[in-house]
Amino acid sequence: MSNPKNKAGTPPIKSPSRSSRRATSYDVARAAGVSQSAVSRCFAPGASIAPATRERIIKVAVELGYQPNALAQGLISGRTNMVAVIISNLTNLYYPEVLAELSRQLTTRDIRVLLFSLNAESDVDAVLDQVWRHSVDGVISAARLSDAQIRLFGEHDVPLVLYNRTSKSAPAASVCCDSAAGERDLVERLLAAGHRRFAVIAGPADSYVGEERRSAALNRLEEAGITDVPVTRGDFSYDSGRAGVHAIMATGALPDALICVSDLMAIGAMDAARIDLGIAIPETLSIVGFDGSGPARWANYDLTSIRQPVRRMTDAAVAMLIERIEDRDTSAERRLFAGELLSGHSARLG
Amino acid sequence: MSNPKNKAGTPPIKSPSRSSRRATSYDVARAAGVSQSAVSRCFAPGASIAPATRERIIKVAVELGYQPNALAQGLISGRTNMVAVIISNLTNLYYPEVLAELSRQLTTRDIRVLLFSLNAESDVDAVLDQVWRHSVDGVISAARLSDAQIRLFGEHDVPLVLYNRTSKSAPAASVCCDSAAGERDLVERLLAAGHRRFAVIAGPADSYVGEERRSAALNRLEEAGITDVPVTRGDFSYDSGRAGVHAIMATGALPDALICVSDLMAIGAMDAARIDLGIAIPETLSIVGFDGSGPARWANYDLTSIRQPVRRMTDAAVAMLIERIEDRDTSAERRLFAGELLSGHSARLG
DNA sequence: TTGAAAGCGTTACCAA
DNA sequence: TTGGTAACGCTTTCAA
């Protein structure tokens, strides 16, 4: 009875009907006539094992359909090869692109994605609890976290990379598109083309990027001596962009340039202007957006916008995260990427 | 030395700088003066424990910030409370909505989502390997699985629910929108309005729903005696819809009704027709889509389409999966949901 | 109701 | 290069 597994001499399997229990490293070891340790080493990256032994074990492992149990691996090694991705609302046109790209890049590096998608009501703290419990190796968050929440990552010693967010008081690694520069750029081009009567459709007050874009636009306008700029707020949705146009027109303002802080709102605004109000774009009204998401490039809209370099940004986010997983003492760093101007034809540019 | 944790009397912690190790049930037990088993019971659903004890333990647990380790729980109990969601391409307009809804519903039931998003090149078998390794409780797949792959779920005893796919030879639970009925419905309404010259923009030949919709449309047309129908194939993208229109026109055909098997292609087709070719929609050409995704309802398109009842479908998928997790002998079942006609204004209907 | 002890399936460490 | 053994942090019997 040298079987290390059944010290107590367990009786025949209890449920013979459900016989196909998953093979463990012990099963492989027994069948290959080696120790369980040998099997483990066989699947470890740079372990010392004789080629012959290795080959024999692999053969048996394949026969038995053995694959290491990720739970057990994670429990003992402290690495799960899982990263949590927290994203605020998937219905936003821009996030699916980011998520797809993140997922692709993480998969490439043999890391799995544990997805947490927040809807408005959902509780971030509850999500974070799950994050701790599941021992993920790190977190990429494109959702709004409070400074206190960011600090929790330090306490739990879980690497974090923020996507298109930052925090001044709590230091955290982050990857952002330079919204301010992009927005200033757009405004300058609009000014150069002779626009003087501006209006803005901003985002919700608690949106980091939304506020950054709004204030960048207003600041640049102020520098140009333009201060009387009607601002209305939307929630980044198509409908809110459409409603925004009506809200602005209702004030009696007659802008010749409309700045929307997201593409989706810009698209809603274009439809409202052209279809509801019969305004010619860009002849009578210039409209600009931000993000460079798919529909912005559809022929019907051909939006003038700033395209975020999603590929490079997600690339950087993943690289930064892995760096911090490998060396937890890597200090906070903020990487800022310039957006690319999509000229489009929804605005007259100078 | 009655500490059950340090039998060997381990020396002081190795890295004092990184002191904040996560509290375990042993830590809580010691601090509360109870056994580790008591702590475990305290966090188990219907365990027998004295209210007083329970309260004391909870108090200590909160103080220490204790939370059960999901890995250890999963390893011993065989339930991870994780479900894998496999989805083919996130950039499709319709999938993010499905994913968001699935994520929401699973979260409600205290289940986490392990996301696998396939891009064209990625290897389904590699994804499945990861699924087995991570011991997920079940899988919802909106990606194309071969019959052999579906059978693997049986062998591994992992519950599976297919979303908008089925398999005739390998039995599997599935939730689908009745594409055939929806498409027939659209065709009938188009026929009733007097359309006689049809064309179809279909999906890739290996798409289940795409083919179902294409053949349903062609069959219904054949019943009406219309057989000479030009068909071109796209890949469900905007660009391919646009290209499809040009391809059809290039054949010399002059359809008065264009059937697109997805909204995104229908939108591309509308832009091509109106913008590239100056064709009036729906006066000169009726265009219909399928899915009822967000942009289909934008004022500029106001697409005539079939809306999939995403909420009810995801609801059903989650319910079916949980049923099979709880009782693995639940037999295969196929639930078919009728789509809802979105009249829109991109087609003249009878 | 409580506690002790046996796993779950690995990796990490040590001696051989 | 190998095998033995101790964790990892929990749930689950089984006795008390």
Side-chain angles (χ1 to χ4, degrees), chain A residues 194-259:
Chain A
H195 297 87
R196 287 298 177 272
R197 302 189 313 277
F198 285 80
V200 174
I201 300 182
D206 66 356
S207 157
Y208 176 75
V209 287
E211 286 306 86
E212 196 175 31
R213 292 171 193 170
R214 178 186 59 79
S215 58
L218 293 179
N219 286 341
R220 184 62 190 82
L221 287 173
E222 203 175 325
E223 288 172 28
I226 300 176
T227 54
D228 189 20
V229 180
V231 176
T232 179
R233 287 190 187 282
D235 61 1
F236 291 130
S237 71
Y238 171 87
D239 286 333
S240 73
R242 212 169 154 190
V245 165
H246 292 294
I248 286 168
M249 297 307 180
T251 67
L254 271 179
D256 57 8
L258 176 60
I259 296 165

Side-chain angles (χ1 to χ4, degrees), chain B residues 235-253:
Chain B
D235 61 2
F236 291 132
S237 70
Y238 171 87
D239 285 332
S240 73
R242 212 169 154 188
V245 165
H246 292 294
I248 286 168
M249 296 308 180
T251 67

Side-chain angles (χ1 to χ4, degrees), chain B residues 277-295:
Chain B
L277 305 174
I279 297 174
I281 294 172
E283 295 77 9
T284 309
L285 176 66
S286 284
I287 295 185
V288 301
F290 207 109
D291 284 341
S293 53

